[in-house]
Amino acid sequence: MSATLIDGKAFAAKVRERIAGHVARLDEAHGLVPGLAVVLVGADPASEVYVRAKGKQTVEVGMASFEHRLAAETSEADLLALIRRLNADPKVHGILVQLPLPAHLNSDLVINAIDPAKDVDGFHISNVGLLNTGQRAMVPCTPLGCLMMLRDHLGGLAGLEAVVVGRSNIVGKPMAQLLLGESCTVTIAHSRTRNLAEVCQRADILVAAVGRAEMIPGDWVKPGATVIDVGINRIAEGDRTRLVGDVHFGTAVRVAGAITPVPGGVGPMTIACLLANTLTAACRANGLPEPDGLTA
Ligand code: NDP
């Protein structure tokens, strides 16, 4: 038996299509063009790739993209001044500061300077607090994408045992909060968890967000479980490299009911959800109804 593949690439394309339709209607009915500002400090090669992809996809769905590329030695005062300008700019509905920032900049300070209503990454402490208290928040993109795929695949999630491996602020913790919001019974595992294999084996929904190549083998997966593999790890294979997840796909696919591949699973959904959050922020800022199914 082999698990159903949850095709994140195809799902993300559908999400972008729905966003593009909504964006066109907003422009037609209200002359409103959602705008996303992306701030990149320095020239980290991986960040460059992400920022380019974000800009391209933003324009493709009909939104305005504003890129701000700053030198690596930019001062905190200058970066904060730019954020204040973007906060005040009515054409900008979403602001994303690409992480990691150079070491001399305090990421928490910078992120918390963003207007929470424009914080499309969902990392501002106000949004974290709103999510954790079950109020309307901007939700971090990667966990939001995982939730959308889970809802699409499983329908209702209430009562299911969910195990999230990883407790980062970016993925693990918000993922666990979202699953709790769906009335799952949630366990968060991490590097100090005892008997991780047993903990994983009770999961109807297993989310792996660790950053260790193929560390979860198939015999840690409950038969029929839905496995969401957030991990993106580059491993050497001869003179090439290959992307793998945190789950050992070859063995897990024989046990799980459904599984996201790496690449082509969670990854493509992250940018789609960034666009969804920008659209949501633009609707909220203008007192317009939010698009269905694109928020938590
Ligand atoms: P972090 O490094 O911030 O967090 C990793 C978590 O895994 C920590 O909570 C850590 O525990 C836990 N962990 C580490 N080793 C073990 C272990 N042996 N057993 C159990 N838990 C362990 O990573 P992120 O959350 O930022 O990212 C996780 C993965 O997801 C990475 O591969 C990253 O590249 C990928 N990612 C993918 C995205 C996408 O768009 N698809 C977006 C964001 C991330 P502890 O807290 O105890 O140290």
Side-chain angles (χ1 to χ4, degrees):
M1 210 179 73
S2 191
T4 304
L5 283 193
I6 301 178
D7 184 344
K9 203 170 160 199
F11 195 69
K14 268 197 245 160
V15 170
R16 287 196 304 271
E17 209 178 287
R18 282 181 46 209
I19 293 171
H22 204 96
V23 168
R25 286 192 296 279
L26 276 185
D27 193 12
E28 213 176 278
H30 306 280
L32 172 63
V33 180
L36 172 65
V38 176
V39 180
L40 175 63
V41 186
D44 176 70
S47 296
E48 291 263 7
V49 173
Y50 288 133
V51 166
R52 250 199 318 275
K54 284 167 187 171
K56 182 169 171 275
Q57 294 188 27
T58 303
V59 172
E60 277 170 4
V61 296
M63 296 187 189
S65 166
F66 308 99
E67 268 180 39
H68 295 266
R69 290 166 181 270
L70 308 182
E73 57 277 8
T74 298
S75 70
E76 203 158 83
D78 284 349
L79 179 55
L80 292 173
L82 170 61
I83 290 174
R84 276 196 298 275
R85 283 205 302 281
L86 297 173
N87 283 343
D89 186 340
K91 291 195 294 299
V92 173
H93 303 96
I95 302 170
L96 178 147
V97 176
Q98 185 66 44
L99 300 177
L101 286 172
H104 68 283
L105 299 170
N106 178 339
S107 319
D108 287 339
L109 188 83
V110 170
I111 297 302
N112 289 324
I114 298 172
D115 176 349
K118 297 189 177 188
D119 167 39
V120 281
D121 251 344
F123 296 158
H124 189 290
I125 46 168
S126 296
N127 281 314
V128 176
L130 289 167
L131 176 63
N132 290 6
T133 50
Q135 300 180 68
R136 197 178 78 163
M138 294 305 299
V139 176
C141 304
T142 300
L144 178 58
C146 297
L147 179 69
M148 283 186 192
M149 288 193 288
L150 283 167
R151 279 177 177 160
D152 183 66
H153 184 69
L154 290 170
L157 310 183
L160 295 178
E161 285 275 349
V163 173
V164 180
V165 190
R167 56 173 161 179
S168 72
N169 291 331
I170 293 173
V171 189
K173 282 183 201 156
M175 186 75 246
Q177 282 297 344
L178 288 172
L179 291 166
L180 201 54
E182 298 291 314
S183 299
C184 292
T185 302
V186 182
T187 303
I188 307 178
H190 46 76
S191 66
R192 309 291 292 274
T193 297
R194 292 189 197 154
N195 303 325
L196 185 58
E198 277 172 35
V199 172
C200 291
Q201 278 157 359
R202 63 171 188 252
D204 301 310
I205 295 171
L206 179 61
V207 181
V210 182
R212 292 169 71 101
E214 301 179 323
M215 72 161 273
I216 298 180
D219 58 6
W220 291 17
V221 175
K222 178 177 172 176
T226 303
V227 178
I228 304 289
D229 191 352
V230 182
I232 301 177
N233 311 287
R234 207 168 274 283
I235 57 168
E237 217 165 57
D239 55 356
R240 295 171 149 228
T241 59
R242 188 165 65 93
L243 285 188
V244 297
D246 292 339
V247 176
H248 187 274
F249 186 84
T251 50
V253 76
R254 288 190 231 130
V255 188
I259 186 167
T260 58
V262 178
V266 174
M269 282 300 289
T270 297
I271 300 186
C273 287
L274 174 67
L275 305 177
N277 278 350
T278 305
L279 174 58
T280 299
C283 291
R284 287 179 186 172
N286 288 277
L288 296 168
E290 293 175 22
D292 282 339
L294 295 179
T295 49

